[in-house]
Every structure is written in structure tokens, then in C-alpha cells.
Amino acid sequence: MFVIRVLAYLWASPYTLLGLTIGLMLGGKLKIVEGVFELHGRGISWVLAHLPVSAAAMTIGHTVWGRTPEHLDRTRFHERVHVRQFERWGFFMGAAYVAASLYLYLRGRDYYRDNPFEVEAYSAERQNQLR
């Protein structure tokens, strides 16, 4: 199991390093929670507010950006689903997410809510809330 966890971290590491580096450059305050780098701060909050879909939090590898510590707490389960997706898809995650969104947009569907990566995260989040 340990070897698998190490490989999952390595597979997602290009995104993790990118998210961590940019998050720190934006002045993010860092906390490690359950093996995931969580960052929040004014610069990160600005970026999240100005995405095509305004977000409370966003996952980049094993890095999660949140507007505030409260947003990170509130979205933790949802964002951990995305962390696991980065572990599965690794280097291909960014392209796969964008390709799915583009495909949906060109078909007249909601490029965010209908994206299979988001569908999985929201579904897992709903199931967790029912427990």
C-alpha cells in the first residue's frame, strides 16, 4: 500500500508542484491536511473569484486552493475526490478535464456541472452528506 501511495503522489506531482508554487507566489498561507497542501489567501481568493466558474476551492494535484480556511473546510470532501482523480489521471488530468468541458460546451451542455470529473465529485459529496 505504501508503494502505491508514493506512486500516486509521484504521478500527480507535476500538478502538485505547480499548484504549490503558484499558490505560494500568490501569498497563500499553507497548511497540510491529510497529506494534501491547502492554501488560502487574498491572491488565491482573487484568482478563484475570476475563474470562468467562480469557485470556493480548486484542486491542483495534491494542492487545494481555497478562498478562506472556512471554504477549505466546507469543500474538503469534494476536493479530495479531485485529489484522487489527479492520482488516477496524473499528467493527463488537466487535458482530460479541459477536453471533457470543451466537448460538453460544443454539445450545448454545461461544461462545468456536466463534466464527469465534477459529476463524480458532487455525487460522492451528496452520498457523504446522506450518511
Side-chain angles (χ1 to χ4, degrees):
M1 185 67 168
F2 174 76
V3 172
I4 292 171
R5 294 298 308 144
V6 169
L7 291 174
Y9 272 80
L10 288 173
W11 184 229
S13 67
Y15 285 103
T16 303
L17 293 173
L18 180 67
L20 185 58
T21 301
I22 294 172
L24 291 172
M25 289 173 58
L26 290 169
K29 295 178 182 103
L30 173 65
K31 181 178 179 183
I32 300 174
V33 178
E34 301 165 357
V36 175
F37 299 106
E38 293 188 348
L39 294 105
H40 67 90
R42 186 187 324 226
I44 289 171
S45 183
W46 187 90
V47 169
L48 293 174
H50 290 86
L51 292 172
V53 175
S54 180
M58 180 175 78
T59 300
I60 309 165
H62 286 91
T63 305
V64 178
W65 293 357
R67 290 188 183 203
T68 65
E70 293 77 22
H71 285 102
L72 288 166
D73 290 342
R74 193 177 79 240
T75 62
R76 189 164 286 125
F77 190 87
H78 178 100
E79 298 306 325
R80 289 308 187 269
V81 174
H82 291 312
V83 168
R84 301 300 166 246
Q85 291 167 344
F86 273 97
E87 290 179 351
R88 285 194 306 267
W89 286 82
F91 181 77
F92 302 103
M93 177 65 181
Y97 190 100
V98 170
S101 289
L102 181 60
Y103 176 82
L104 291 162
Y105 177 78
L106 292 173
R107 300 288 181 273
R109 296 182 55 200
D110 187 304
Y111 64 91
Y112 175 74
R113 291 286 179 180
D114 292 333
N115 185 305
F117 295 102
E118 295 301 334
V119 169
E120 179 186 3
Y122 281 109
S123 175
E125 184 178 6
R126 276 191 303 277
Q127 289 174 2
N128 186 58
Q129 290 172 348
L130 294 174
R131 293 180 185 176

